[in-house]
Amino acid sequence: MRYLIKNKWLYVFLIPGLLYLLIFKYVPMFGIVIAFKKLSIVKGIWGSDWVGFQNFETLFQSAHFIRVLRNSILLSVYQILWGFPAPILLALMLNEVRQMLFKRITQTILYLPHFISWVVLAGIVINFLSPTSGLVNQIITSFGHEPVKFLMEPGYFRSIIVSAEIWKGVGWGTIIYLAAMTGIDPTLYESAKIDGASRLQRIRYITIPGIATTIIILLLLNLGNILDNGFEQVFLLYNPVTYETADIFETYTYRIGLQDGRLSYATAVGLFKSVVGFVLILSANYAARKISGKSIW
């Protein structure tokens, strides 16, 4: 009690954050009950009839389920394979730059795409890949080839989304790793130099082990969101022609929930995605603790 009284203002500062979590994160969770009901707008949530796991059975028997699950997993795997190492590599390179002015200018330029909304960025991508006036197709036609309708070809969609996300987030992601590198003891580098270690050897044996905990934690968080691909970027760039490779849980939930009005079914889809993500983050955390001894909890 004496500790609480002594630090009362610290707990007062916690109140706005806790209220935010309570109102916007925990209270809406009661809405998942409609995943087990046949929601009637007239009867309301609590007056609607219970249907058990019928909405989930409908999801698993749906012709779209396999396509949506495959697209969500593949898109997330590609983002982890290509997008996750990108800020690490960039941070390692920036950390070796000794010209501070060049380093700061480069960091600022790389951070800028993070502040561009997906609406604007999608417009840039569409113009960039336009078959008539896009820069990419102008280069292709200058070599005598036919222009390519990139956004109308399902085979290009995943590459376009992953590339756009890397471009938007790689600069911002380096902040975390550069901050982790500042915590490494400088005397380790000095000792390594005296022992004749090359720059690559210092990166391999000092820098990378120094940020290993940060890498593992962020990797676990990414694995936990493996079915959470983000709605805006896919919604703004996909179209019915590319559903085969572009349709994911978020866009599928939007169509059946808001456009078709099947709110119970859409909630069941969202709940399934959340449960899978929860199981994945538990499994990944357990595996990381067993393999490296480092984990979130």
Side-chain angles (χ1 to χ4, degrees), residues 12 31-32 34 44 70 82 87 95-96 99 104 109 128-129 132 135 141 165 226 232-233 235 248 253 275:
V12 169
I32 63 174
I34 66 175
R70 182 196 63 209
W82 297 105
N95 192 50
E96 296 300 317
Q99 293 292 330
R104 288 173 180 171
I109 293 173
F128 197 66
L129 299 177
T132 54
L135 177 62
T141 53
E165 290 199 351
I226 195 166
E232 284 183 292
Q233 56 269 42
F235 180 74
I248 58 175
T253 305
V275 170

Side-chain angles (χ1 to χ4, degrees), residues 13 32 53 68 106 196 211 282:
F13 292 147
I32 63 174
F53 291 93
V68 172
T106 304
I211 61 173
L282 286 178

Side-chain angles (χ1 to χ4, degrees), residues 22 25-34 45-46:
L22 180 66
K25 299 295 182 181
Y26 284 91
V27 172
M29 287 176 67
F30 290 103
I32 63 174
V33 72
I34 66 175
I45 293 177
W46 300 110

Side-chain angles (χ1 to χ4, degrees), residues 44-269:
I45 293 177
W46 300 110
S48 299
D49 300 328
W50 291 94
V51 295
F53 291 93
Q54 182 181 325
N55 289 318
F56 295 94
E57 293 173 2
T58 305
L59 169 64
F60 299 143
Q61 294 169 1
S62 169
H64 302 298
F65 174 67
I66 296 298
R67 183 184 72 184
V68 172
L69 180 64
R70 182 196 63 209
N71 290 341
S72 298
I73 292 176
L74 282 178
L75 200 54
S76 292
V77 169
Y78 291 156
Q79 287 171 353
I80 290 174
L81 286 178
W82 297 105
F84 184 75
I88 300 173
L89 295 173
L90 186 59
L92 289 173
M93 288 190 288
L94 284 175
N95 192 50
E96 296 300 317
V97 175
R98 293 293 172 261
Q99 293 292 330
M100 293 307 295
L101 180 62
F102 174 78
K103 185 177 181 179
R104 288 173 180 171
I105 292 174
T106 304
Q107 283 179 284
T108 304
I109 293 173
L110 291 171
Y111 295 159
L112 288 178
H114 172 76
F115 300 100
I116 301 175
S117 71
W118 271 112
V119 176
V120 176
L121 196 141
I124 295 173
V125 172
I126 291 170
N127 284 316
F128 197 66
L129 299 177
S130 170
T132 54
S133 58
L135 177 62
V136 176
N137 272 305
Q138 286 184 3
I139 295 173
I140 292 174
T141 53
S142 68
F143 285 97
H145 299 287
E146 292 293 323
V148 181
K149 298 178 180 178
F150 289 101
L151 293 174
M152 300 297 286
E153 293 286 345
Y156 291 119
F157 185 81
R158 292 176 187 137
S159 301
I160 293 170
I161 285 291
V162 173
S163 302
E165 290 199 351
I166 291 175
W167 178 44
K168 190 175 190 300
V170 68
W172 188 256
T174 57
I175 293 176
I176 298 173
Y177 297 108
L178 286 172
M181 289 174 191
T182 58
I184 300 174
D185 188 353
T187 58
L188 295 176
Y189 292 104
E190 296 300 326
S191 301
K193 284 181 183 177
I194 294 171
D195 290 340
S198 66
R199 181 166 291 188
L200 287 177
Q201 287 173 324
R202 294 198 295 270
I203 292 173
R204 180 180 177 183
Y205 295 107
I206 299 176
T207 307
I208 293 178
I211 61 173
T213 303
T214 305
I215 293 174
I216 290 173
I217 290 174
L218 293 179
L219 180 61
L220 290 175
L221 294 176
N222 277 284
L223 289 174
N225 295 323
I226 195 166
L227 294 184
D228 192 3
N229 303 106
F231 172 76
E232 284 183 292
Q233 56 269 42
V234 177
F235 180 74
L236 291 168
L237 291 173
Y238 88 150
N239 58 69
V241 178
T242 57
Y243 277 179
E244 184 59 31
T245 56
D247 199 17
I248 58 175
F249 276 110
E250 286 88 346
T251 53
Y252 182 59
T253 305
Y254 167 78
R255 289 204 310 278
I256 61 175
L258 295 181
Q259 292 185 344
D260 298 345
R262 301 166 64 187
L263 296 179
S264 294
Y265 182 61
T267 306
V269 175

